[in-house]
């Protein structure tokens, strides 16, 4: 196992755990011209560009397979079974305005011949999408998704036509192949995402499922591993209410059986991250104004476990799905929480300050964090951790150099067996790094006084949302609120009963306002009279407050003075009502 490292020091490979030495499998490519690299899905082929050529290297037998003269290529990707290498370079037109040359090339990895060239103007979603078995391949071409079969790119086998189609995502896994498509809304019509099964695209009832929604400038579509459902994060660029700098986001669930729902998130604010567990039966969302909440939901979109609030904006499931890392990167301090999601127990809380990159190792045991340029140009470097919080290897780039990219060599599922979770930190040769905690600023007047703990936000603790034995499902937010109200009423009734049963006990003196809240009101048996008494007391209380204000020297309005003059008459009326006159 290795990890390629690309930066101003060149391109080289580092051996994975437990050695962390520079790999002799791949010869170092020195110089600052390496713009791009990629691995094949199974990790056996490695391709990179050095500013002159695109090279394909066989990691298994340590041999160079092919070199292509593509000095301007900036994007590379292998097809899932290593049959095709796709390359892309920015599209350019000639000075006289004539159309430019094709800039998307598809090469046969075995022979090195160019199978097909296309014009692909946009860099976003530039690469064709293959099914895992490579039987179908799809491209988005102006209002249509074109489908090719068996890597024959000279014949379009099928077309999915939808006006203004913006994006599509093929489902993972074997046949039957499914495709999710997104069409943005226009002129008052909503945006929608539809799920189809290949090749059934025609007719009004061809779609497996459809979900339409307003408030969407862009969407992210996430298939689960078993291809049974899609999560859609719909985002607007601007929040018209002004509540958020990030725009507005909503989370939608669409299943291939036709079911769809809006995922109800209990806290307002941005949706930072949504990830499926590899089991395909649950997903985790990180959302809400800071400190953000993180919650695991099941396929009914009911909350299963709530991690409470914390400084976090990202979530990462381990390859086997039994460990979840919640992290706060970017403009947050790099705090991580490593959770055992079978038992919902916290394993460790490491801190990876200034991290711009995070990746699980395919073995499900190790984690890679890095600080890369251009996101951060100082303190570049990377660390390899064990999930129990130990730093096993660390590399800091020299101050005059930069780290641009690092990743793990991928492996197919099943190569690494799932291991039992350990809670004890694994031993490390590196000293444990305690993050420097910056002390809060205290003005000179408070420096010699005791520190008072004042929090801007009340943090919520983690809680299990699974239904308890006897309950069918977890209660919704409204149901919980109603349950609390009901319990409070019940408690008040019991209190009233206990007061009646002990008339001899002397009541404890209490302020009028609190007594009104806790002690039940005396009733006359006539609801109309009780209502009048309640209103009179309310008016007398308001007069009392006005008199207090006048005593402090506040200038009262004319109508307020008139209210005070009515006090005597109101007291008389109250007395008459209470006596039943």
């Amino acid at each position: 196992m290795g990890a390629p490292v690309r930066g101003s020091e060149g391109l080289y490979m580092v051996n994975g755990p437990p050695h962390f030495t520079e790999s002799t499998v791949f010869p170092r490519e020195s110089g600052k011209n390496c713009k791009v690299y990629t691995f094949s899905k199974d990790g056996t082929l490695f391709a990179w560009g050095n500013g002159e050529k695109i090279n394909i290297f066989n990691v298994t037998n340590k041999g160079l397979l092919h070199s292509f003269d593509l000095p301007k290529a900036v994007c590379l990707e292998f097809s899932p079974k290593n049959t095709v290498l796709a390359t892309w370079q920015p599209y350019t037109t000639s000075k006289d305005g004539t159309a430019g040359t094709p800039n998307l090339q598809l090469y046969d990895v075995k022979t090195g011949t160019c199978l097909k060239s296309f014009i692909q103007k946009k860099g976003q979603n530039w690469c064709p999408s293959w099914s895992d078995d490579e039987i179908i391949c799809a491209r988005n071409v102006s209002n249509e998704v074109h489908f090719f079969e068996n890597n024959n790119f000279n014949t379009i086998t099928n077309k999915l036509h939808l006006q203004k189609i913006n994006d599509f995502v093929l489902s993972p896994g074997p046949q039957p192949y499914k495709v999710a498509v997104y069409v943005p809304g226009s002129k008052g019509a909503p945006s929608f995402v539809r799920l189809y099964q290949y090749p059934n695209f025609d007719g009004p009832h061809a779609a497996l499922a459809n979900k339409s929604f307003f408030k969407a400038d862009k969407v992210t579509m996430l298939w689960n591993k078993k291809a049974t459902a899609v999560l859609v994060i719909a985002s607007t660029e601007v929040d018209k209410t002004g509540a958020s700098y990030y725009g507005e986001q909503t989370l939608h669930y669409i299943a291939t059986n036709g079911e769809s729902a809006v995922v109800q998130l209990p806290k307002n604010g941005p949706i930072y991250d949504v990830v499926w567990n590899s089991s395909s039966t649950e997903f985790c969302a990180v959302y809400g104004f800071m400190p953000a909440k993180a919650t695991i939901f099941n396929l009914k979109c009911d909350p299963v476990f709530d991690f409470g609030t914390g400084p976090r904006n990202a979530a990462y499931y381990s390859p086997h799905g039994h460990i979840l890392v919640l992290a706060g990167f970017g403009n947050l301090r790099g705090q991580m929480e490593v959770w055992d999601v079978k038992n919902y127990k916290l394993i460790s809380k490491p801190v990876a300050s200034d991290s711009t990159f995070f990746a699980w190792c395919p073995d499900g045991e190790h984690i890679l964090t890095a600080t890369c340029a251009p996101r951060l140009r100082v303190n570049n470097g990377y660390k390899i951790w064990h999930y129990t919080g130990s730093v096993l290897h660390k590399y800091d780039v020299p101050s005059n150099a930069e780290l641009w990219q690092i990743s793990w060599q991928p492996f197919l599922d099943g190569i690494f067996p799932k291991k039992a979770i350990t809670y004890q930190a694994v031993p490390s040769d590196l000293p444990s790094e305690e993050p420097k905690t910056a002390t809060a600023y205290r003005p000179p007047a408070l420096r010699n006084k005791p520190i008072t703990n004042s929090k801007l936000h009340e943090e919520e603790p983690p809680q299990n949302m699974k239904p308890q034995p006897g309950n069918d499902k977890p209660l919704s937010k409204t149901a919980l609120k109603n349950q609390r109200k009901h319990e409070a009423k019940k408690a008040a009734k019991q209190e009233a009963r206990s007061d009646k049963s002990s008339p001899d006990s002397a009541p404890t003196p209490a302020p009028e306002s609190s007594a009104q809240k806790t002690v039940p009101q005396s009733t006359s048996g006539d609801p109309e009279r009780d209502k009048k008494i309640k209103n009179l007391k309310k008016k007398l209380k308001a007069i009392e407050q006005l008199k207090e204000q006048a005593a402090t020297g506040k200038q009262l309005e004319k109508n307020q003075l008139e209210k005070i003059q009515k006090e005597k008459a109101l007291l008389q009326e109250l007395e008459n009502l209470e006596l039943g006159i």
Side-chain angles (χ1 to χ4, degrees), residues 443-461:
L446 296 176
R447 280 176 194 170
N448 297 321
K449 293 185 178 178
I451 296 169
T452 54
N453 285 328
S454 58
K455 285 187 178 181
L456 285 172
H457 308 280
E458 199 60 47
E459 293 203 353
E460 294 177 30

Side-chain angles (χ1 to χ4, degrees), residues 168-184:
F168 77 95
V169 185
L170 278 184
S171 65
Q175 294 188 29
Y177 313 115
K178 302 176 192 92
V179 58
V181 293
Y182 163 59
V183 175

Side-chain angles (χ1 to χ4, degrees), residues 214-218 233-251 269-271 289:
F214 290 95
K215 293 187 178 179
D217 295 324
K218 63 173 185 176
I233 308 164
S235 315
T236 59
E237 301 294 340
V238 178
D239 182 352
K240 287 176 182 172
T241 64
S244 173
Y245 169 79
Y246 299 94
E248 281 183 274
Q249 292 89 26
T250 49
L251 181 60
I271 298 172
F289 295 114

Side-chain angles (χ1 to χ4, degrees), residues 46-318:
F46 182 70
W48 78 98
N50 58 13
E52 294 173 11
K53 293 176 183 289
I54 296 295
N55 304 302
I56 302 178
F57 183 82
N58 189 316
V59 180
T60 313
N61 59 25
K62 306 180 188 179
L64 189 68
L65 289 180
H66 300 291
S67 286
F68 308 110
D69 289 318
L70 292 165
K72 293 179 182 176
V74 290
C75 295
L76 303 173
E77 199 162 319
F78 283 101
S79 62
K81 294 182 83 177
N82 306 351
T83 311
V84 177
L85 175 70
T87 71
W88 183 85
Q89 62 188 49
Y91 178 72
T92 52
T93 53
S94 53
K95 287 177 183 175
D96 57 5
T98 53
T101 54
N103 59 322
L104 167 58
Q105 272 80 29
L106 303 175
Y107 289 95
D108 187 319
V109 172
K110 207 174 210 177
T111 63
T113 56
C114 185
L115 297 170
K116 188 72 177 175
S117 294
F118 295 103
I119 287 178
Q120 173 66 36
K121 293 182 180 178
K122 289 182 181 175
Q124 189 182 2
N125 301 329
W126 68 271
C127 189
S129 290
W130 280 270
S131 60
D132 285 353
D133 56 14
E134 288 192 17
I135 287 176
I136 65 167
C137 178
R139 281 188 76 226
N140 187 1
V141 184
S142 59
N143 296 329
E144 289 181 334
V145 180
H146 291 178
F147 290 87
F148 307 92
E149 290 188 357
N150 302 309
N151 288 322
N152 176 8
F153 297 101
N154 295 313
T155 309
I156 298 169
T157 316
N158 276 291
K159 288 182 183 179
L160 170 54
H161 179 85
L162 280 171
Q163 202 64 37
K164 294 184 179 174
I165 189 166
N166 182 284
D167 196 9
F168 77 95
V169 185
L170 278 184
S171 65
Q175 294 188 29
Y177 313 115
K178 302 176 192 92
V179 58
V181 293
Y182 163 59
V183 175
S186 60
K187 295 176 183 173
S191 307
F192 63 83
V193 169
R194 279 185 194 155
L195 309 185
Y196 291 94
Q197 185 169 306
Y198 181 83
N200 308 323
F201 302 139
D202 298 325
H205 305 294
L208 298 171
N210 180 71
K211 179 80 175 144
S212 56
F213 39 83
F214 290 95
K215 293 187 178 179
D217 295 324
K218 63 173 185 176
V219 305
T220 305
M221 296 177 281
L222 306 166
W223 278 101
N224 63 4
K225 201 173 179 181
K226 289 182 180 172
T228 57
V230 176
L231 288 169
V232 179
I233 308 164
S235 315
T236 59
E237 301 294 340
V238 178
D239 182 352
K240 287 176 182 172
T241 64
S244 173
Y245 169 79
Y246 299 94
E248 281 183 274
Q249 292 89 26
T250 49
L251 181 60
H252 305 266
Y253 168 89
I254 313 170
T256 52
N257 64 4
E259 290 177 2
S260 66
V262 178
V263 182
Q264 298 295 335
L265 302 174
K267 187 173 185 179
N268 293 329
I271 298 172
Y272 305 102
D273 202 6
V274 178
V275 281
W276 279 105
N277 191 320
S278 56
S279 67
S280 297
T281 57
E282 59 185 34
F283 58 91
C284 180
V286 183
Y287 58 93
F289 295 114
M290 287 294 162
K293 277 178 86 73
T295 308
I296 290 178
F297 296 88
N298 60 19
L299 295 183
K300 291 179 181 175
C301 300
D302 291 328
V304 176
F305 189 82
D306 190 314
F307 294 97
T309 55
R312 51 171 88 109
N313 54 16
Y316 308 92
Y317 275 108
S318 65

